[in-house]
Amino acid sequence: MLTLVSGHYPSGANQVAVTSGVESAFHLSLGKSWQVGGVTREVVGIVQNPQSLLDAFALVVPGQVTNPSQVTVLFTSRPVNIRSLSKGASIITPASSRHRIP
């Protein structure tokens, strides 16, 4: 669900990886600083969602966005009972469609 195109994934609070759409829209490039919401981060990577190349997003390490409107968590795990996850969660698995927990 996430591919590193160039550079590296963010590893610190002052780092961000962006999609090529965000890179283009904000005139960014690897090594350039990007200030958003009063916070300056260095662009350290270019990423993409290989399942939807039109997705535009910025990737930061956990805990950097104080009031997110949406959060996507990527992890490797054994199959789980979808009902055991939080209500309102959307689950996407590599070989399946999106599932929404009522």
Side-chain angles (χ1 to χ4, degrees):
M1 285 186 53
L2 185 64
T3 302
L4 182 64
V5 176
S6 61
H8 62 87
Y9 291 112
S11 60
N14 63 339
Q15 298 180 343
V16 63
V18 298
T19 59
S20 60
V22 171
E23 177 186 32
S24 176
F26 291 93
H27 309 288
L28 301 172
S29 59
L30 288 176
K32 190 167 183 180
S33 293
W34 185 30
Q35 185 174 25
V36 177
V39 177
T40 302
R41 292 188 173 90
E42 178 188 359
V43 178
V44 297
I46 306 300
V47 293
Q48 68 182 12
N49 174 355
Q51 294 179 346
S52 178
L53 298 177
L54 297 178
D55 279 359
F57 58 90
L59 178 68
V60 296
V61 295
Q64 299 307 301
V65 180
T66 56
N67 294 308
S69 60
Q70 178 181 347
V71 175
T72 302
V73 179
L74 304 174
F75 59 92
T76 302
S77 174
R78 294 185 181 130
V80 297
N81 179 350
I82 291 177
R83 298 251 180 241
S84 70
L85 300 172
S86 297
K87 289 187 177 206
S90 292
I91 310 301
I92 302 171
T93 58
S96 72
S97 60
R98 181 178 293 239
H99 303 282
R100 181 149 179 92
I101 298 172

